[in-house]
Amino acid sequence: MGRLEYLPVTLFASVMGLGGLSLTWRRAAVVWGVSPVIAEVLFWIALATYVFVAVLYVGKWVRHPAAARAELRHPIRMAFVPTITIGLLILATAGQDLLPGPATVAWWVGAVGHLLVMIVVMGAWFEREDIGLSQVTPAWFIPVVGNVITPLAAPALGNLQLAWFSWSVGLVFYVALLPILMLRVLLHSDPIPPKLLPTIAIFIAPPAIAGISWTVLTGKQGDAVFHIFYGATMAFLLLVVAEFPRLRKVPFALPYWAYTFPLTAASVIALVAAATLPGAAYDVVAYVVVAVTTIVVVAVSAFTFVAAAR
């Protein structure tokens, strides 16, 4: 049990990846008519993973509170703390038909909790003089991205006014952070450590989720705003693909989970585009992105199990 002291909060990112893959196949069941059983199985796996990691993390707080508090103050790891509330929102969205009662509770806890956690994390960024550009990574998007996830299940489980509020907050702070993050990755006087390079995939997630949520909130699919979010998503996806020769040299570690949720977000918006926009190209893109995403999530899960067994 002494290993609990070193249990990282970043493990909750695995729930985002697995739950996001459930959302991908949930959408695929609507667009392509595939069996919903795939999405349901993935949801139960994601839920079991969340419960397992949460129990371990609570154990860390009970047995090693100093280590847990230190992680919350860590200038880089603190950005991953909101994965706890994001995980709840994703599980609520993926499980809204299977467990509507618990999903409703999870949605409210996740939506309100994420706003509060975002304020705490951003407050630390405002106040702490020891946090500089060298601590900035694409993971800084995480406290923001959770807010644009809130609308996904709002019509079925929650409140549309809160969903609009969260989406607006998330979008504004995303736009504010984007230039800082682009500066960090484009200028190399203080480069991102190689181990954290997989986090550049996080650039894909905000426009993808914001675009999907836009369709949920407005009921508009294929309008000019959706085209902007879809185009930005695919542009960031292509940039990450272009970096593959460099990224594949990074040894496997927990930051690999940073690939998973952004890819699932890109898969969902690709499926929305394939269902609503004219042209076979959108269908081809959706097939390719969903296939690659599924392979990546399965591979990262397998690598994680192997690493844990060691």
Side-chain angles (χ1 to χ4, degrees):
M1 295 298 288
R3 294 181 182 179
L4 283 177
E5 183 178 359
Y6 307 103
L7 183 80
V9 70
T10 51
L11 271 177
F12 282 97
S14 63
V15 180
M16 294 175 58
L18 294 167
L21 190 61
S22 175
L23 293 178
T24 295
W25 285 98
R26 188 173 189 269
R27 179 70 63 165
V30 175
V31 177
W32 293 337
V34 300
S35 173
V37 173
I38 301 173
E40 292 171 4
V41 170
L42 288 167
F43 163 73
W44 290 114
I45 294 173
L47 177 60
T49 302
Y50 189 93
V51 172
F52 178 71
V53 175
V55 169
L56 291 179
Y57 200 63
V58 169
K60 177 177 179 175
W61 272 95
V62 172
R63 296 178 65 88
H64 308 282
R69 285 193 296 268
E71 188 170 48
L72 296 187
R73 291 189 52 80
H74 191 280
I76 294 177
R77 284 191 178 184
M78 68 163 58
F80 289 92
V81 173
T83 57
I84 299 173
T85 47
I86 293 176
L88 285 176
L89 287 169
I90 293 172
L91 289 173
T93 306
Q96 59 185 289
D97 300 323
L98 297 171
L99 299 170
T104 300
V105 175
W107 187 90
W108 280 100
V109 173
V112 176
H114 192 82
L115 284 168
L116 296 175
V117 173
M118 184 200 72
I119 291 171
V120 172
V121 173
M122 294 194 72
W125 293 343
F126 272 101
E127 297 171 5
R128 288 177 51 177
E129 297 181 359
D130 61 322
I131 297 179
L133 191 60
S134 60
Q135 281 80 42
V136 175
T137 73
W140 275 37
F141 283 134
I142 292 175
V144 174
V145 169
N147 289 303
V148 296
I149 293 172
T150 296
L152 295 181
L157 303 177
N159 180 276
L160 284 176
Q161 293 304 314
L162 177 57
W164 268 112
F165 179 82
S166 296
W167 186 86
S168 302
V169 169
L171 187 64
V172 168
F173 281 116
Y174 163 64
V175 172
L177 284 176
L178 183 59
I180 301 174
L181 271 297
M182 292 298 290
L183 175 71
R184 182 75 167 99
V185 299
L186 295 179
L187 301 184
H188 303 286
S189 57
D190 188 9
I192 293 176
K195 182 179 179 180
L196 294 177
L197 280 178
T199 62
I200 66 172
I202 298 175
F203 277 100
I204 300 168
I209 297 298
I212 300 162
S213 291
W214 171 259
T215 66
V216 173
L217 290 169
T218 64
K220 298 177 181 178
Q221 297 184 344
D223 64 354
V225 176
F226 177 81
H227 275 280
I228 292 171
F229 286 128
Y230 177 82
T233 300
M234 294 303 142
F236 280 124
L237 179 59
L238 289 173
L239 286 170
V240 172
V241 171
E243 287 297 304
F244 179 73
R246 184 165 63 128
L247 293 172
R248 70 183 183 87
K249 298 177 182 178
V250 179
F252 177 78
L254 281 180
Y256 263 54
W257 280 101
Y259 292 124
T260 59
F261 179 70
L263 285 175
T264 63
S267 295
V268 175
I269 198 171
L271 285 164
V272 173
T276 58
L277 301 179
Y282 292 107
D283 296 301
V284 173
V285 170
Y287 282 119
V288 172
V289 177
V290 170
V292 171
T293 296
T294 302
I295 292 170
V296 169
V297 175
V298 171
V300 172
S301 301
F303 290 149
T304 302
F305 274 115
V306 171
R310 290 175 182 168

